[in-house]
């Protein structure tokens, strides 16, 4: 009885490629959904749970530019991390290091904003 290791190696690579493809497609839909906010009409809910149109929630042109820049930066980070992760062991370590650095930076910024808001 012989075991064929080549077939199992092919299957695992195929699964990783499928997962990478799936995560990229999910990212595309996710960021398209976020960008749709740019074109949607702002609605709000009143105290009596009625829906009404509120012009104050509509983004101004300068806010649209900032929003678009934020979404592009977030999308580039997301797709870069997804595609680097599947390069191998070094790619996985690099992604984990970047995620830890992002988490530390986010906590630091949260504390700074909290200090500024309460001061």
């Amino acid at each position: 009885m012989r075991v064929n290791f080549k077939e199992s190696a092919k299957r695992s690579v195929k699964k990783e490629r499928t997962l990478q493809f799936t995560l990229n497609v999910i990212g595309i839909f996710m960021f398209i959904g976020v960008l749709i906010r740019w074109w949607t009409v702002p609605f709000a809910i009143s105290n009596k749970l009625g829906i009404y149109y509120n012009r104050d929630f509509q983004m101004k042109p300068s806010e649209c530019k900032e929003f678009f820049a934020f979404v592009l930066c977030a999308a580039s980070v997301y797709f870069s991390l997804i595609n680097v992760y599947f390069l191998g062991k070094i790619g996985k370590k690099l992604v984990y290091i970047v995620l830890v650095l992002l988490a530390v930076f986010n906590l630091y910024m949260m504390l700074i904003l909290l200090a500024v808001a309460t001061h």
Side-chain angles (χ1 to χ4, degrees):
M1 185 173 199
R2 297 182 112 184
V3 178
N4 190 354
F5 290 107
K6 291 182 181 178
E7 287 183 27
S8 63
K10 288 180 184 177
R11 288 181 187 164
S12 66
V13 170
K14 188 175 181 181
K15 285 183 183 177
E16 285 186 4
R17 295 286 182 211
T18 305
L19 181 60
Q20 181 181 8
F21 177 75
T22 304
L23 290 172
N24 281 324
V25 169
I26 289 171
I28 289 169
F29 283 121
M30 181 175 60
F31 287 109
I32 286 174
V34 171
L35 283 175
I36 287 174
R37 163 58 182 102
W38 191 10
W39 291 287
T40 58
V41 179
F43 289 99
I45 298 177
S46 67
N47 294 337
K48 297 180 181 179
L49 299 178
I51 298 176
Y52 67 96
Y53 178 77
N54 190 346
R55 287 195 182 267
D56 294 333
F57 292 153
Q58 194 169 12
M59 283 197 271
K60 295 164 185 58
S62 63
E63 293 173 336
C64 288
K65 288 179 186 177
E66 292 173 4
F67 179 71
F68 188 66
F70 168 76
V71 172
L72 282 179
C73 290
S76 65
V77 169
Y78 175 82
F79 289 114
S80 298
L81 290 176
I82 291 297
N83 292 314
V84 167
Y85 181 82
F86 289 99
L87 292 178
K89 290 182 180 180
I90 296 173
K92 289 180 182 181
K93 287 181 182 179
L94 181 64
V95 168
Y96 291 137
I97 289 170
V98 169
L99 288 176
V100 167
L101 290 174
L102 281 173
V104 169
F105 178 73
N106 285 337
L107 288 173
Y108 172 73
M109 290 305 295
M110 180 184 69
L111 293 173
I112 293 296
L113 290 172
L114 184 64
V116 169
T118 59
H119 191 261

